[in-house]
Amino acid sequence: AQRVTQPEKLLSVFKGAPVELKCNYSYSGSPELFWYVQYSRQRLQLLLRHISRESIKGFTADLNKGETSFHLKKPFAQEEDSAMYYCALYNTNAGKSTFGDGTTLTVKP
Amino acid sequence: KAGVTQTPRYLIKTRGQQVTLSCSPISGHRSVSWYQQTPGQGLQFLFEYFSETQRNKGNFPGRFSGRQFSNSRSEMNVSTLELGDSALYLCASSPTVPGPTGELFFGEGSRLTVL
């Protein structure tokens, strides 16, 4: 069975502060992990994928297989980063993505 | 490219009725998956279709069904509606290079209210 856990439902930081959104997973195969973001009144959209190893909007995420984690980080949070963030694990064989419960990030001025 | 389009956007039904939701994927995407989003359960996987074949189904009763057409458009159907079926139903398409990549492009959803 595959499972994704986002331990924080709510996370609040001040503008300019570092932010880390936690994601842990359990999966017996080789994981493909993603972060999705939903800004207010917008559709859910892909933020980044672990394979691409790119930085999107200043966010990065590193897959740590030893700790089965895929935490999302940004060194200096901006107010426009306020949104709901979902971590997701994709099972290639089953064509199924499992999502965490999401973390609502609020960046205060 | 046009994004994923879902219709209808909002609908209200009564218990016992059935509903059909439609999804048009991004052009060229052959994988379509459906998710149910509720405040209490979050995003729950319903099913995924690739080249008109259902590859996987989530833990939902048989009242939930779907299909995919040759043009990759997909529909999902919920029969004998229950109050607990009230939710936002999200469709997502995925590029296929050559198989699904896991990158999901979501529609805006169909919000179903069951009275």
Side-chain angles (χ1 to χ4, degrees):
Chain A
Q2 55 193 76
R3 178 184 286 271
V4 175
T5 303
Q6 293 179 249
E8 305 136 329
K9 274 194 174 307
L10 303 171
L11 185 61
S12 181
V13 301
F14 285 101
K15 176 183 173 182
V19 63
E20 180 180 66
L21 292 90
K22 291 184 168 52
C23 172
N24 290 92
Y25 68 90
S26 63
Y27 181 57
S28 56
S30 183
E32 289 198 40
L33 288 150
F34 301 81
W35 277 99
Y36 290 85
V37 60
Q38 188 166 29
Y39 301 103
S40 179
R41 297 190 183 87
Q42 293 187 27
R43 66 182 69 191
L44 194 56
Q45 58 186 283
L46 177 67
L47 180 62
L48 55 78
R49 177 181 183 181
H50 89 270
I51 284 183
S52 61
R53 300 186 64 82
E54 27 178 21
S55 171
I56 304 293
K57 299 184 179 182
F59 283 98
T60 58
D62 289 320
L63 177 59
N64 186 322
K65 290 187 178 181
E67 296 183 358
T68 60
S69 69
F70 187 57
H71 302 329
L72 183 68
K73 300 177 185 178
K74 185 169 183 176
F76 307 103
Q78 303 299 313
E79 289 181 67
E80 55 265 30
D81 297 328
S82 295
M84 174 77 107
Y85 291 81
Y86 292 94
C87 181
L89 185 153
Y90 179 68
N91 180 327
T92 307
N93 293 331
K96 171 184 175 180
S97 287
T98 298
F99 285 79
D101 290 337
T103 298
T104 300
L105 172 65
T106 301
V107 181
K108 296 180 285 188
Chain B
K1 277 185 182 178
V4 176
T5 305
Q6 290 187 246
T7 57
R9 290 290 316 282
Y10 302 92
L11 64 166
I12 300 174
K13 294 284 187 179
T14 56
R15 280 181 296 174
Q17 286 187 310
Q18 71 150 13
V19 66
T20 299
L21 309 178
S22 180
C23 172
S24 293
I26 291 172
S27 177
H29 288 190
R30 287 168 31 214
S31 171
V32 173
S33 50
W34 289 87
Y35 294 83
Q36 182 194 64
Q37 187 176 31
T38 59
Q41 298 294 318
L43 276 158
Q44 300 290 314
F45 173 79
L46 279 157
F47 23 65
E48 189 258 0
Y49 290 88
F50 178 62
S51 293
E52 301 179 67
T53 301
Q54 184 183 91
R55 295 204 303 158
N56 201 355
K57 185 174 182 185
N59 189 24
F60 280 83
R63 301 184 295 107
F64 291 80
S65 63
R67 58 178 174 168
Q68 187 181 33
F69 303 95
S70 59
N71 61 358
S72 295
R73 192 177 68 83
S74 178
E75 287 181 348
M76 68 163 281
N77 184 278
V78 188
S79 62
T80 319
L81 285 166
E82 301 176 359
L83 295 178
D85 297 333
S86 295
L88 181 67
Y89 290 89
L90 292 171
C91 169
S93 70
S94 183
T96 47
V97 194
T101 64
E103 295 177 356
L104 299 174
F105 293 79
F106 285 89
E108 292 181 290
S110 292
R111 185 165 294 283
L112 170 65
T113 301
V114 182
L115 302 177

